[in-house]
Amino acid sequence: VLLYEGVFKEPRMHRAFRDCAKLTSVKVSITWAVSSRMERLSPECTLSVEESICNLPNIVRQDGHFLACFTVAVRDGKVSHLQDTNDVTARSLSQIFRFIAFHELREASIVIEL
């Protein structure tokens, strides 16, 4: 993601971050994607998935929101792009949806058995 071709190209965004200390990371909300899938799960499964998510690298829960964390790369003293070293954040995001899919399939198989 090239920040200068996206969000930071906007003049108001430059002003917003002008007086901030060195920007080292960006947290992107993934709550909308996770919540829409988890709302179909039972409360027990939801709790299990939430606990599993909290143990993943580069994923944090803050004020009830799930955030994917990316390192900011700086080139020539300017923010250049976001880094996902060794695809750690991507792997964590994939793992979240595998956790959810596992519980969805497990619940579906219980219904079929009944």
Side-chain angles (χ1 to χ4, degrees), residues 15-47:
R15 287 191 302 273
F17 291 101
R18 179 181 55 220
D19 297 327
C20 293
K22 184 180 174 186
L23 184 64
T24 58
S25 66
V26 172
K27 296 177 182 176
V28 179
S29 177
I30 57 169
T31 303
W32 62 273
V34 174
S35 297
S36 65
R37 292 277 304 271
M38 285 183 23
E39 69 186 16
R40 295 178 276 190
L41 298 176
S42 68
E44 298 83 23
C45 290
T46 299
L47 183 59

Side-chain angles (χ1 to χ4, degrees), residues 6-21:
V7 174
F8 289 128
K9 192 173 184 178
E10 295 291 324
R12 64 182 173 189
M13 293 305 289
H14 282 290
R15 287 191 302 273
F17 291 101
R18 179 181 55 220
D19 297 327
C20 293

Side-chain angles (χ1 to χ4, degrees), residues 61-113:
R61 186 163 189 188
Q62 189 174 4
D63 299 327
H65 298 280
F66 292 105
L67 306 169
C69 303
F70 297 91
T71 303
V72 173
V74 177
R75 186 178 301 149
D76 299 327
K78 295 181 180 179
V79 173
S80 173
H81 62 277
L82 299 180
Q83 288 180 310
D84 186 10
T85 307
N86 297 324
D87 296 327
V88 173
T89 305
R91 290 179 211 278
S92 292
L93 292 170
S94 178
Q95 187 64 41
I96 290 169
F97 292 105
R98 282 189 295 226
F99 288 147
I100 295 169
F102 168 79
H103 286 288
E104 287 173 335
L105 289 170
R106 194 176 91 185
E107 288 188 347
S109 67
I110 291 170
V111 170
I112 291 170
E113 287 179 13

